[in-house]
Amino acid sequence: MAAGVPGRAGRPRRGGNPVGAGDFAAQVEQAYLNVGTALAAVGGSFDDVAKLTIYVVDWGPDKYPLLGEGVARAAAKLGVDPVKPITLIGVAALGEPDLLVEVEATAVLD
């Protein structure tokens, strides 16, 4: 069965404030943790992810190390291999001005 996890932003819960105001790595970490939480709610895990789509505000090469830092921190907390097929899309803005990143996942569950 395929499961879609709609966009998860860098905030600890729905309606909460974004973590790390202006801290791209912190928001990436939180968005990945949110994907893990959403997958657990349907009986899956981050290991079930087949593809990620990451939307980044004002993407540029200077953000690549910060993306890696946030992903690595989340992977360490989740205890998973974070390497997945990824589509990275630079955007002008997200739904709220303080959001810097949003992560969507497609997972295959047994």
Side-chain angles (χ1 to χ4, degrees):
M1 165 177 72
V5 177
R8 297 293 177 212
R11 70 170 119 238
R13 64 191 182 290
R14 182 173 222 119
N17 293 324
V19 298
D23 185 340
F24 180 66
Q27 288 195 22
V28 169
E29 176 184 3
Q30 186 63 55
Y32 265 67
L33 293 173
N34 292 346
V35 167
T37 299
L39 287 167
V42 295
S45 77
F46 208 92
D47 289 329
D48 297 315
V49 171
K51 179 187 180 300
L52 295 168
T53 303
I54 304 175
Y55 301 91
V56 178
V57 174
D58 296 326
W59 173 256
D62 58 312
K63 289 188 177 177
Y64 193 75
L66 297 171
L67 176 67
E69 178 185 329
V71 169
R73 291 192 315 226
K77 289 179 179 177
L78 293 167
V80 298
D81 178 0
V83 179
K84 305 290 178 188
I86 294 174
T87 299
L88 181 67
I89 302 172
V91 296
L94 292 168
E96 297 174 29
D98 293 337
L99 295 177
L100 304 175
V101 64
E102 183 173 296
V103 179
E104 291 179 349
T106 301
V108 179
L109 306 176
D110 292 329

